[in-house]
Each structure stands twice: as C-alpha cells, then as structure tokens.
Amino acid sequence: MREILPALSRWYAAGQPFGLATVVAVSRSAPRGPGAAMAVGPDDEVVGSVSGGCVEGAVFELAKEVVETGRAQLRTFGYSDEDAFAVGLTCGGEITLLVRPVTPAHDAAFGEAAASVAAHRPVVVATVTDGPAPRGAALAVRPDTVSGTLGARGLDAAVTADARGELAQGATGLRHYGPDGERREDDVTVFLQSFAPPPRMLVFGAIDFAAAVARIGVFLGYRVTVCDARPVFADPRRFPDGAEVVVDWPHRYLRATETDGRTVMCVLTHDPKFDVPLLEVALRTPAAYIGVMGSRRTHEDRLARLREAGLDGTELARLRSPIGLDLGARTPEEVAVSIAAEIVALRWGGTGSPLAETSGAIHGPRPATG
C-alpha cells in the first residue's frame, strides 16, 4: 500500500473514485502478504500488485465493478486442481481480497490515513471485510484522533482501542467482534492494517561503499541517513535522493538519535577513532542489525578495544562483522547487495542458502509485526 499511495492520493485529491483491492488473508505459499494492494483508477490506470501476476486480471475487473456498483466485495483466489490454467495461484497458495470503492465524498478515513503515511505519522486503517457491519467501511486510527466510522458507535470504540494497542508494534491482520464491538463474538470481521513510520537505516562513513548501501537502503524502503564527521566526504551530491546526509561525529549523532527494534546500522568507516566510540553507543541501543566493515584482523582489534571500553560478551555478540553475506562481492554495488541480503535474512529468519539446496516452504511464516 505504501508504494502506491502517491497515485491513490492524486486520484483522491482530484475527486476521482477508484477501486482498491487489499490482501486481507493468505495461506500456504501466497506470494504477497496481508496489506499488499492494487488499485484501478481513472482511464483504467493500474498501480500495485496483490499476487505478482497470478490473479491481477480478475482483480482488475472486480475493481472496476465495485466502482460502478458502489458495493465492496470479498473474494478468495486459489490454485485449481481441476484446471491449472484457471484464474488462481499456480504457486499453490490462497489469498483473500477485499475490493472496495474509494470515493472522496464519502471516505474521510482514506484521506486522513494517506496524509499520515505521507508525513511518517503512525496510523491504523481498520476496514470491515465481513458481517452485519457495512463491508468496506473504514476507520483511520491515530494515537490521538480518529476519522471515519464502521457503522456502529460501540464497534468504532472497540476497534479504536485495539488499533491503538497494536500501533506501536505495527501489527496487521484480521480481528473479530460482535455487531456493537463485543470482543467475545465473531459476527463482524475487521482488517487492521498498521502503517508505522519507515524503519531507519543509519550508515556511518561517507565512502563510496556508503553511497551504494544508501541507494539499496532507499530501494528497500528504509529512511536512510548517512553520517560522517568529514564535510568533504559528507556531500549530499554523492548520495541518492531520499537519503539524509549529516556532518557530525558518528557517536555524538547516534547518542542524540532515536532508534528502535527495526533500526539497522552499517558502520563503514573502519577507523578506530570513529568506530570504537560509535559502537560503544550502538551496541547499547535496541537496533535490529549492527554491521561493521573491515577485515577479520581489524575485527579482532576492534573487539579488543571494545572490551577495554567495558562492553561484555553479550553486547559484542550483536556485531555482524565482517559485514554482509559471502557472495564473493568486490565492487561497492556488489558489497551493498551482500549487506542488504544479510539484513533481509536476519529480518525474516532466512538462512542465506541457495533455495535450490533447501526444502519445504519457500516463504516461512510471516511475523505478526513489521
């Protein structure tokens, strides 16, 4: 959804209705997770994807239909054993989609949610998928305000409370309620989709490798900051659009910067006067990934210096050094790919092994938060 919001916001601001299909549930080897979205706008313009190409043709027709009728639909697509060429997922999975019309005159929740996501403010979009409540009705829940309605005051109140409870974790999934928000009933199904601010990637050391890492970080959806104490290297012209460039001592910048369990750090300076003070701070943050460039010999020297600075074995075990997976990388761009591969593997629990040498499901269970 985040990737297609610019187009949706443009249509919404122009008063043009569009059909929005959102994945609300998956099973087995479905290629896209809950929250993946596709929309059909004016002049049959299509943005986004819900299955990587398996069912997009059918979804295109559904999206046009819901705009014409004004009525949302819930559809499930799966692999057909009787006809492998029928509309379905040849990967063997199954996805359930909510396809709803978004009309600017009647959907305040969408506009509020889109503005929050664009401004990197946390928001949960709650949408009725099934039950006696109006299918497709939406509620935008922020930490301090709410827009829209699901059709019943009690349901709005219960969903708002649950959404705010999930907001910090960025949870996305289906929840069940009674018609007036009763928590032990399951008449009404509501899809809660959280939009937490993008995770941060902090790159320390404004060298050529940093420019390549910043580019791939922006591509992966991180909010990228490159930090170096040397103004001659920390030149914004050397880095991609979308990456912030800061001139400061790395440890001082990090000490004043908020981090969380989704933050990743790439330390590329391989200079003790920068690395050691920085890592003293970094290894005591909740960051998900702390990778450090340098040879194995440099790594051993770095560990000795950090032990002298008072860090213990548990803290030092968090270091990913030398940084990246063993891909045989040589160029800055190849090294950036190896670093990104290690970050992705750590995030989703991947092994880094060739898929041809593994067995079982290609896509493991998706975490409930992210």
Side-chain angles (χ1 to χ4, degrees), residues 282-303:
L283 291 170
R284 288 166 176 157
T285 69
Y289 174 90
I290 303 169
V292 191
M293 179 172 279
S295 66
R296 300 188 193 280
R297 185 173 182 178
T298 298
H299 176 61
E300 292 302 321
D301 176 69
R302 184 186 295 125
L303 288 178

Side-chain angles (χ1 to χ4, degrees), residues 58-315:
V59 174
F60 174 81
E61 298 298 335
L62 270 175
K64 293 177 63 177
E65 181 180 336
V66 300
V67 170
E68 292 174 1
T69 64
R71 295 193 298 272
Q73 296 190 38
L74 190 69
R75 288 290 186 90
T76 297
F77 294 94
Y79 178 73
S80 170
D81 292 323
E82 297 179 356
D83 184 0
F85 296 97
V87 172
L89 299 173
T90 55
C91 60
E94 185 176 273
I95 60 173
T96 299
L97 303 175
L98 175 68
V99 188
R100 69 185 183 101
V102 177
T103 306
H106 302 99
D107 195 344
F110 179 86
E112 295 291 337
S116 294
V117 173
H120 302 313
R121 295 192 302 267
V123 63
V124 176
V125 179
T127 313
V128 174
T129 66
D130 206 4
R135 178 175 288 159
L139 197 68
V141 182
R142 293 170 296 282
D144 52 354
T145 59
V146 179
S147 300
T149 180
L150 303 182
R153 183 177 299 176
L155 183 59
D156 288 348
V159 171
T160 295
D162 288 352
R164 285 181 175 153
E166 302 283 11
L167 193 53
Q169 297 182 356
T172 288
L174 295 172
R175 303 291 185 271
H176 302 278
Y177 304 88
D180 201 42
E182 299 88 345
R183 296 182 184 280
R184 295 189 178 182
E185 300 183 23
D186 58 4
D187 301 276
V188 180
T189 304
V190 178
F191 180 62
L192 298 183
Q193 184 174 9
S194 294
F195 293 91
R200 298 200 66 185
M201 173 181 281
L202 305 178
V203 182
F204 297 101
I207 61 176
D208 288 346
F209 289 92
V213 170
R215 281 195 293 273
I216 205 164
V218 170
F219 175 75
L220 290 176
Y222 285 92
R223 184 159 62 97
V224 178
T225 298
V226 180
C227 177
D228 199 303
R230 302 163 295 184
V232 67
F233 294 113
D235 184 341
R237 293 172 296 181
R238 301 180 59 230
F239 296 94
D241 292 340
E244 176 189 31
V245 180
V246 173
V247 180
D248 200 352
W249 280 86
H251 70 281
R252 184 169 61 191
Y253 172 78
L254 182 57
R255 191 175 288 123
T257 297
E258 184 177 350
T259 60
D260 60 26
R262 303 182 303 151
T263 302
V264 300
M265 302 186 196
C266 303
V267 181
L268 310 181
T269 51
H270 51 80
D271 184 333
K273 70 175 179 288
F274 292 113
D275 288 359
V276 174
L278 170 62
L279 291 173
E280 285 184 67
V281 179
L283 291 170
R284 288 166 176 157
T285 69
Y289 174 90
I290 303 169
V292 191
M293 179 172 279
S295 66
R296 300 188 193 280
R297 185 173 182 178
T298 298
H299 176 61
E300 292 302 321
D301 176 69
R302 184 186 295 125
L303 288 178
R305 292 172 184 266
L306 290 170
R307 289 191 190 97
E308 291 176 3
L311 278 80
D312 61 29
T314 301
E315 292 167 327

